[in-house]
């Protein structure tokens, strides 16, 4: 093997020592601690609290939190690796960790003032789950058409309105909530608030009964004259749109990682199963028709991973990554759907029943094309960048 010249860029998938160590420890955890719970969590649509505690202990709930605040002091790329490895086994666990790191902690590190960081980052690293509340019933893709209001009152802001589809809502005790201080000002009225469970006027409402990622809680939030101290404004009043845009631009790289992990999980299953299952006197993996289908999806997964890793590495190097991240999300979510669908096909009738893991990957894959910007919105971003 030749030694690369010092100035030669490394391949995207070649990991540094700390990246390799993180991936190995998360992979081992996912196999040993998550895999045995997958079916039960899907059926009961719930994570056991013990699993959350173990994720904190593993260090994946505070990956980019500096060590002085009790976090792992890692980079964005480490979050991508953790989300990929967890999603390979259970994309619900993947999104829990993704929202915590790529949205909530990311926003606090970038926009939180020193007092907020010192108060909240140690909690997020050790025991608190975070959630990110932008969407409402009437504003999804058009996120800045939101209706939740914030009214100034003495040393507080008083929030009223409802948020919908909020991931981690059942487990979280810290919520980044977006509301407008002036609907007439359009996006310039939007502001971000740090709402804590237990604040008067705040409650978590109905939990959605979903097609996929069922263990991940998705709930409504009710803000009924919820009084938030001014110390809990994240960033500046009227600049919440920047908080939202910048965190979501990065967050979608994490969803790309979730979808790559899911696709790899489906690929693992089909490789194993087709070598075991015999028809016409031989393993179905011996048929060239089956081999070619697996070879093609493996190629697509590799391409999706390269897109996702590239945008994560660009982000960590302070380079523009918007187009690459949007391409990574749309492509990886489509590949995940195709991989899961092929896995179901190759399992035959067994692919259609819950005794085998692949029908769940198929249900879980669909969300990748919906949240953190639907596929059409990703295409809109890409088109705007390349067409001007
Ligand atoms: C399981 C789950 C978890 C979620 N978690 C969170 C969360 O934690 N926090 C949060 O804030 N939100 C969350 N969401 C909300 C999610 O981000 C929205 O559902 C998503 O942005 C789409 O919004 P919508 O559902 O209102 O669909 P709509 O915006 O109504 O879109 C419907 C369809 O119209 C298309 N469309 C809309 N506008 C255009 C356009 N201009 N051009 C072309 N096509 C267009 C869309 O692509 C889509 O196909 C979650 C949703 C789900 C289902």
């Amino acid at each position: 093997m030749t030694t690369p010249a010092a100035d030669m860029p490394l391949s995207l998938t070649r990991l540094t020592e700390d990246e390799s160590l993180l991936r190995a420890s998360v992979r081992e955890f996912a196999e040993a601690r998550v895999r045995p719970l997958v079916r039960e969590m899907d059926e009961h649509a719930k994570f056991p609290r013990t699993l959350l505690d173990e994720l904190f202990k593993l260090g994946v709930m505070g990956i980019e939190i500096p060590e002085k605040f009790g976090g792992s002091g890692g980079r964005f790329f480490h979050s991508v690796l953790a989300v990929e490895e967890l999603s390979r086994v259970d994309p619900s666990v993947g999104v829990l960790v993704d929202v915590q790191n790529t949205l909530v902690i990311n926003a606090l590190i970038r926009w939180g003032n020193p007092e907020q960081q010192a108060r909240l980052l140690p909690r997020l690293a050790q025991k608190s789950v975070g959630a990110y509340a932008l969407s409402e019933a009437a504003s999804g893709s058009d996120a800045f058409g939101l209706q939740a209001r914030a009214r100034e009152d003495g040393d507080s802001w008083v929030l009223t309105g409802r948020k919908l589809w909020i991931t981690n809502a059942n487990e979280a005790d810290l919520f980044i909530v977006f509301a407008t201080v002036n609907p007439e000002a359009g996006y310039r009225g939007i502001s971000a608030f740090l709402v804590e469970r237990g604040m008067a006027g705040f409650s978590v409402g109905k939990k959605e009964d979903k097609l996929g990622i069922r263990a991940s809680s998705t709930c409504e939030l009710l803000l009924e004259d919820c009084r938030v101290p001014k110390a809990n404004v994240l960033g500046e009043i009227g600049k919440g749109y920047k908080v939202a845009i910048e965190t979501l631009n990065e967050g979608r790289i994490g969803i790309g990682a979730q979808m790559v992990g899911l696709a790899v999980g489906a690929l693992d299953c089909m490789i194993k199963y087709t070598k075991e299952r015999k028809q016409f006197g031989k393993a179905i993996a011996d048929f060239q028709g089956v081999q070619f289908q697996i070879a093609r999806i493996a190629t697509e997964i590799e391409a999706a991973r390269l897109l996702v890793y590239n945008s994560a590495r660009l982000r960590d190097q302070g380079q523009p990554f918007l187009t690459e991240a949007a391409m990574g999300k749309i492509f990886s979510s489509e590949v995940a759907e195709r991989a899961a669908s092929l896995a179901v096909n190759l399992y035959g009738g067994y692919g259609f029943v819950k005794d085998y893991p692949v029908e769940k990957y198929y249900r879980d894959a669909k969300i990748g094309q919906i949240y953190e910007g639907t596929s059409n919105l990703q295409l809109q971003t890409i088109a705007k960048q390349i067409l001007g």
Side-chain angles (χ1 to χ4, degrees):
M1 210 168 75
T2 53
T3 316
D7 61 348
M8 190 186 282
L10 296 177
S11 82
L12 287 169
T13 49
R14 185 159 152 211
L15 304 185
T16 62
E17 199 181 327
D18 58 301
E19 290 166 355
S20 288
L21 281 172
L22 176 96
R23 186 173 65 178
S25 69
V26 179
R27 186 172 290 179
E28 193 188 324
F29 176 87
E31 290 298 339
R33 310 300 303 164
V34 180
R35 179 117 29 221
L37 302 172
V38 174
R39 180 148 183 212
E40 186 190 330
M41 294 193 299
D42 183 57
E43 273 174 15
H44 295 133
K46 207 172 176 338
F47 299 122
R49 177 71 218 188
T50 48
L51 178 64
L52 302 186
D53 294 339
E54 289 183 68
L55 288 165
F56 279 101
K57 223 168 125 200
L58 184 67
V60 294
M61 296 300 272
I63 294 174
E64 278 192 87
I65 294 181
E67 285 171 15
K68 68 172 177 181
F69 294 130
S72 303
R75 293 185 301 280
F76 189 83
F77 192 79
H78 292 112
S79 301
V80 159
L81 285 177
V83 171
E84 180 188 338
E85 286 305 323
L86 291 166
S87 303
R88 182 175 178 167
V89 173
D90 192 344
S92 290
V93 181
V95 75
L96 167 89
V97 169
D98 175 65
V99 168
Q100 175 88 352
N101 287 286
T102 74
L103 295 182
V104 177
I105 291 169
N106 195 3
L108 260 166
I109 289 178
R110 185 182 296 238
W111 298 94
N113 61 36
E115 182 279 322
Q116 290 168 341
Q117 292 188 353
R119 176 161 51 100
L120 299 170
L121 290 177
R123 246 173 67 183
L124 284 163
Q126 278 148 32
K127 58 177 189 305
S128 285
V129 175
Y132 186 91
L134 179 63
S135 303
E136 299 179 1
S139 63
S141 300
D142 182 17
F144 295 155
L146 59 81
Q147 298 293 308
R149 286 294 304 267
R151 169 173 57 81
E152 198 169 5
D153 186 22
D155 57 2
S156 304
W157 286 91
V158 179
L159 271 49
T160 45
R162 283 166 177 237
K163 293 287 169 185
L164 200 62
W165 313 118
I166 307 310
T167 300
N168 292 354
N170 259 358
E171 298 78 20
D173 53 23
L174 180 69
F175 299 77
I176 298 181
V177 174
F178 294 86
T180 178
V181 295
N182 178 8
E184 271 104 69
Y187 71 89
R188 288 202 179 85
I190 292 168
S191 309
F193 299 90
L194 296 161
V195 176
E196 299 181 51
R197 192 183 280 272
M199 282 180 169
F202 172 79
S203 56
V204 175
K206 178 178 162 267
K207 177 168 161 238
E208 303 297 338
D209 187 6
K210 304 195 298 293
L211 169 74
I213 56 162
R214 291 177 53 77
S216 162
S217 65
T218 312
C219 310
E220 191 177 18
L221 303 185
L222 310 178
L223 301 154
E224 294 162 313
D225 285 332
C226 171
R227 191 167 276 278
V228 181
K230 284 190 174 162
N232 278 22
V233 172
L234 181 64
E236 285 173 48
I237 289 293
K239 294 276 171 63
Y241 70 94
K242 280 193 159 193
V243 178
I245 289 173
E246 291 188 13
T247 41
L248 288 171
N249 283 345
E250 298 183 350
R252 71 177 56 109
I253 304 174
I255 300 304
Q258 183 199 27
M259 291 295 119
V260 170
L262 188 158
V264 174
L267 178 67
D268 293 341
C269 288
M270 62 180 101
I271 290 172
K272 185 166 176 281
Y273 184 80
T274 56
K275 285 180 173 177
E276 284 166 10
R277 173 70 175 170
K278 288 198 168 58
Q279 289 292 282
F280 303 100
K282 54 183 177 178
I284 56 174
D286 289 341
F287 296 113
Q288 196 180 55
V290 170
Q291 289 172 5
F292 281 10
Q293 286 177 301
I294 296 176
R296 179 167 296 281
I297 201 66
T299 307
E300 292 191 33
I301 295 170
E302 182 65 6
R305 180 186 272 133
L306 289 173
L307 278 170
V308 171
Y309 282 14
N310 188 42
S311 40
R313 295 222 188 268
L314 286 171
R315 186 274 190 193
D316 275 338
Q317 289 166 18
Q319 300 295 315
F321 60 84
L322 185 62
T323 314
E324 291 81 357
M327 289 174 168
K329 179 175 184 278
I330 188 169
F331 189 68
S332 60
S333 57
E334 290 173 1
V335 168
E337 190 180 5
R338 284 198 286 275
S341 176
L342 177 61
V344 171
N345 290 350
L346 291 177
Y347 271 62
Y350 300 101
F352 206 65
V353 294
K354 288 182 188 289
D355 294 335
Y356 291 84
V358 290
E359 63 83 35
K360 177 175 177 297
Y361 286 122
Y362 188 60
R363 288 185 285 109
D364 287 353
K366 201 68 218 172
I367 192 60
Q369 294 171 54
I370 299 172
Y371 58 15
E372 294 204 31
T374 64
S375 290
N376 276 356
L377 271 283
Q378 304 307 322
L379 292 174
Q380 199 181 68
T381 300
I382 298 163
K384 214 186 271 174
Q385 297 296 314
I386 63 176
L387 298 170

